[in-house]
Amino acid sequence: MSLLKIKLSFSGGIELLFDNIKQKSVEIPSSINPPNSTTMKDLISWMKDNLLKERPELFMSGDTVRPGILVLINDSDWELEGELEYEIKDGDDIVFISTLHGG
Amino acid sequence: MLYGRQLILPDLGKSGQLKLKNTSILIVGAGGLGSPAAIYLAAAGVGKLGIVDYDKVEKSNLHRQIIHNETREGISKAQSAKMTIEGLNSLCNCVAYEILLDSLSALEIVQQYDIVVDATDNVATRYLLNDACVISGKPLVSGSALRMDGQLTVYNYKGGPCYRCLFPKPPPPESVLNCADGGILGVVTGVIGCLQALQAIKIATENDESPNNLLIFSATSYPLFRSIKLRSKKKDCVICGDHPSITKLQDYVQFCGSGALDKSPSVKELGREDRIEPKVYHNLRNETPHVLIDVRETVQYEICSLPSSINIPLKDLPKRIEDVKKLLETPNTSVYVICRLGNDSQHAVNILKNYLKGEVKDIIGGLYKWSLEVDQEFPIY
Ligand SMILES: [Zn+2]
């Protein structure tokens, strides 16, 4: 099976759930759920199983990210790209950002 | 001439300066974001500034709340901000609101201004301001900051999204860190607050051509800024969509599960039998053999700690159970756990209880309560 190489970034405190790493290049299967191409939904659950270090409830809610996390695909709001249904492409730059509330 | 150096800017000019003079801006929060925003907006010649804050000036906030100073400790932040603004530019009409903005007061105040700057520090007030701005048709310049990061967005402006379009549901309260718990570098709020002032000036002078975007600032990343293209307003948004179901302000504390006054949500994970009051612990401290574990992050432990306490940060605790066991004189030796405010310590007790035979208790209210009730010399930070 072929692999997709993508860049993941975490910001706004989510990095604390991922071993305090802000950026990470990972290789993921191009079809996590064969025969379908890997989607954002697959990626999120793959991250939970392979990368998440603590407290999954602070990252996920159901099969998506929890309220208050914004996902960016190649510098665009993921809503513009199809959210969970977006098919991951080699070289994608995906950012998970927690909204901040302090001031 | 007060505004000479900015009047000669082709992007501003006399007409822009007049627009600023005729603009009123409401700044909600005279803290780390509101301080620089208010100073620059007043200095630039904005005609009327409203400042909302119910809090008092505190020393531990002066590193970022630079509109205040040491001589103003204990007085209202709204009043203190007004004093600074009036000293800086007597032409600015500044109104101080020493209140906690809520669903009863928000609309009436927001309606009196052209632009609203969200410089608050909690989720409930952010939803409240969003809804008040959508209902009264005002652009909302929203900034936020924590640790080394900041974010800036304009909501409800030129067909762009509102806060609810982006975040229909509030985050779980336990996922929300505030500056008191997470820490914040003063200049980080300064960067975001200045950008809020800039954005408000661009809106006031009708100079803003940028598409809907979210600006992310991270002091520790390269590049420092990232600009993200945002969705448009959502047709099915409950407040700004085509068929809004929310037409008046709500109970935001209930909606968010926490309010403006909850500096940190108090966690109650443990029953009374697993907890001990700081005074009671103080009395047995020299009498009973025990181990005291401090589960704060090491950077906090290094600032101040109780003598003989052992630092094991909460996140390392599960993999350091064997280290804890080695500290015990006998398998039944009591273990007490302390942290800053008494939340993490409860979590730690729940972990330790599974492995230890003796008593494991957390010290209620943490070092904060220790400082209030046992040792006033112990620093609160
Ligand atoms: Zn909306």
Side-chain angles (χ1 to χ4, degrees), chain A residues 9 11-12 16 22 58 66-68 70 72 75-80 93 95 97-103, chain B residues 32 64 120-123 126 144-145 149 151 163 167 169-171 175 179 214 216 218 220 226 228-229 231 234:
Chain A
S9 310
S11 137
L16 300 173
K22 288 205 145 188
L58 295 187
R66 69 149 166 87
L70 199 60
L72 314 169
D75 280 342
S76 266
D77 185 350
W78 73 331
E79 145 127 335
L80 302 169
D93 176 0
V95 183
I97 176 162
S98 173
T99 49
L100 305 175
H101 303 283
Chain B
R64 68 183 190 285
T120 59
D121 61 359
N122 67 89
V123 189
R126 289 185 186 273
S144 59
D149 296 345
Q151 296 168 359
Y163 192 62
F167 306 106
K169 285 188 206 154
S175 73
C179 294
L214 162 68
I216 303 174
S218 172
T220 54
R226 239 174 132 153
I228 276 84
K229 187 166 171 260
R231 65 193 77 173
K234 277 178 113 169

Side-chain angles (χ1 to χ4, degrees), chain B residues 130 134 161-165 233-234 237-241:
Chain B
N130 178 69
V134 172
C162 81
Y163 192 62
R164 283 187 192 260
C165 291
K233 170 208 237 309
K234 277 178 113 169
C237 174
V238 291
I239 185 145
C240 80

Side-chain angles (χ1 to χ4, degrees), chain B residues 41-149:
Chain B
L41 289 173
V46 170
K48 180 180 172 190
L49 279 182
I51 311 273
V52 186
D53 208 308
Y54 64 93
D55 244 343
K56 305 257 187 292
V57 176
E58 276 177 55
K59 208 175 225 168
S60 66
N61 288 329
L62 289 178
H63 76 117
R64 68 183 190 285
Q65 303 185 356
I66 53 165
I67 203 166
H68 316 298
N69 61 54
E70 285 186 2
T71 65
R72 311 237 182 100
E73 226 186 320
I75 77 165
S76 139
K77 277 160 67 171
Q79 287 298 345
S80 164
K82 182 176 153 82
M83 286 158 78
T84 302
I85 286 169
E86 285 175 342
L88 178 63
N89 187 347
S90 56
L91 297 174
C92 178
N93 168 21
C94 182
V95 184
Y97 300 90
E98 285 173 54
I99 56 162
L100 180 63
L101 211 63
D102 60 18
S103 19
L104 295 175
S105 57
L107 264 186
E108 200 202 318
I109 297 175
V110 164
Q111 279 164 349
Q112 300 171 38
Y113 292 83
D114 302 316
I115 300 168
V116 178
V117 172
D118 183 346
T120 59
D121 61 359
N122 67 89
V123 189
T125 311
R126 289 185 186 273
Y127 277 100
L128 166 70
L129 274 179
N130 178 69
D131 292 3
C133 284
V134 172
I135 291 172
S136 49
K138 312 287 179 179
L140 176 61
V141 181
S142 172
S144 59
L146 188 72
R147 298 181 180 211
M148 307 294 276
D149 296 345

Side-chain angles (χ1 to χ4, degrees), chain B residues 142-190:
Chain B
S142 172
S144 59
L146 188 72
R147 298 181 180 211
M148 307 294 276
D149 296 345
Q151 296 168 359
L152 175 82
T153 326
V154 181
Y155 294 112
N156 196 40
Y157 182 59
K158 286 192 174 173
C162 81
Y163 192 62
R164 283 187 192 260
C165 291
L166 244 59
F167 306 106
K169 285 188 206 154
E174 65 273 19
S175 73
V176 177
L177 262 184
N178 60 37
C179 294
D181 292 339
I184 176 78
L185 188 68
V187 67
V188 170
T189 47

